[in-house]
Amino acid sequence: MREFSKEVKKGRECLKNKENKAAYQWFKKAAEKGDALGMLNFGYCYYSGYGCGRDFAIAAKWFEKAAQGGSDEAMLALGTCLYNGQGCEKNYEAAAGWFQKAVDAGNIAALDALAACFREGRGVEKNPLKAFGLYEKATAEGNVSSFYALGTMYVSGEGVEKDVETGRKYIRQAADRGYIPAYVAMGRALFDGDGVERDLAEASKWFYPAAKKGNAEAQYLLAFCLTNCEKIKDPDSAIALLKMSADQGYPPAVERYADFKSRLET
């Protein structure tokens, strides 16, 4: 069982109680003492803006210190910053290296991150078969996003023989665990009639929880369903959803909402 220092324990308690400024101070004390978990959590304060201004550059520096101190979570966090170019120059090779170190240290979530590198050929030589194996290992450990990734690989036939039925089962498992992109994918299959009969009413049931969580694509697609399916028609909700999606910059929603507004103005 992981041991937390007094300062880290206090910081975690404060975060749980939404006392972000106090949490920041406790994590700062732990970090300044050289506590790897303190440095990790202090970095997260800057990464998420807990008790301080959001600053990816400072976050990445503390993640690096914590990673050097042996924190596998910090290795993953630092790799993520390098992969996305958050607070540092984008560097896929360095990101993959940190993901590998995190995997070697037993971090399950890092399996998913490393698999994505092999799947896309970012920082390592592209190898869908290796990516598939890493996702398999991660799903065996219960990593939610890996169920979705594995499902999409089965559906597209990447690194494995194409098997849409098996792929959809994995995607469904990800959705059952609350993974938002999986909700969208399940709804999309029904929306497009991809391997199943097209059913906008059923598709809307999948889009709804994702739209509620702020997913722009789901908001747009749910708006379409509420506009075009007689069973669930709700023009007012559709317009509100279309605006939410457009406000997030989702291109089809931006175009459609602009067209809607221009028609109102004429």
Side-chain angles (χ1 to χ4, degrees):
M1 189 174 178
R2 189 191 313 198
E3 291 291 326
F4 297 108
S5 67
K6 178 189 75 175
E7 291 82 6
V8 171
K9 282 181 183 177
K10 289 282 190 181
R12 286 164 62 87
E13 286 171 14
C14 289
L15 269 189
K16 190 176 180 181
N17 295 326
K18 297 184 178 178
E19 298 167 355
N20 293 345
K21 288 185 178 179
Y24 171 89
Q25 292 299 333
W26 282 113
F27 291 141
K28 182 181 180 183
K29 287 179 182 179
E32 289 173 345
K33 284 185 174 181
D35 182 320
L37 284 175
M39 291 187 280
L40 169 68
N41 283 283
F42 193 47
Y44 276 135
C45 285
Y46 279 103
Y47 190 86
S48 303
Y50 293 148
C52 59
R54 202 173 194 188
D55 191 320
F56 289 137
I58 295 176
K61 286 178 183 177
W62 283 104
F63 289 153
E64 185 172 12
K65 289 181 180 181
Q68 297 288 4
S71 167
D72 59 283
E73 290 169 279
M75 294 170 193
L76 174 58
L78 177 59
T80 301
C81 286
L82 288 161
Y83 191 90
N84 295 320
Q86 293 172 304
C88 54
E89 195 171 328
K90 192 175 284 190
N91 187 328
Y92 293 132
E93 188 174 351
W98 281 110
F99 293 150
Q100 183 65 67
K101 287 179 181 179
V103 166
D104 293 342
N107 189 292
I108 303 305
L111 285 166
D112 191 86
L114 185 59
C117 290
F118 280 106
R119 187 178 184 181
E120 301 297 330
R122 291 182 170 176
V124 291
E125 187 176 344
K126 189 171 183 176
N127 190 332
L129 184 61
K130 190 171 180 72
F132 183 85
L134 287 164
Y135 283 132
E136 268 196 321
K137 189 174 180 181
T139 56
E141 297 290 344
N143 191 63
V144 177
S145 57
S146 296
F147 281 91
Y148 174 74
L150 200 62
T152 60
M153 291 191 84
Y154 267 114
V155 169
S156 61
E158 290 177 78
V160 67
E161 187 176 344
K162 186 172 182 175
D163 185 337
V164 175
E165 186 178 349
T166 297
R168 292 260 164 81
K169 285 179 182 177
Y170 273 105
I171 293 170
R172 175 64 187 261
Q173 287 182 72
D176 289 343
R177 289 165 169 79
Y179 191 63
I180 296 303
Y183 281 110
V184 180
M186 293 297 294
R188 264 286 188 189
L190 289 157
F191 184 90
D192 295 330
D194 183 10
V196 292
E197 186 177 347
R198 191 176 198 229
D199 190 328
L200 297 184
E202 286 300 309
S204 71
K205 293 176 184 177
W206 287 105
F207 294 143
Y208 178 77
K212 192 175 179 182
K213 288 286 186 179
N215 184 281
E217 182 182 4
Q219 288 167 345
Y220 172 75
L221 293 169
L222 181 56
F224 184 95
C225 293
L226 294 175
T227 301
N228 294 282
C229 180
E230 289 297 330
K231 287 183 184 177
I232 56 171
K233 205 160 193 177
D234 185 347
D236 291 339
S237 294
I239 293 164
L241 284 161
L242 187 62
K243 184 179 185 304
M244 289 178 199
S245 183
D247 286 346
Q248 292 191 69
Y250 187 64
V254 170
E255 183 179 344
R256 192 173 289 271
Y257 189 66
D259 179 59
F260 169 74
K261 285 202 299 182
S262 68
R263 281 188 280 111
L264 280 182
E265 291 165 0
T266 55

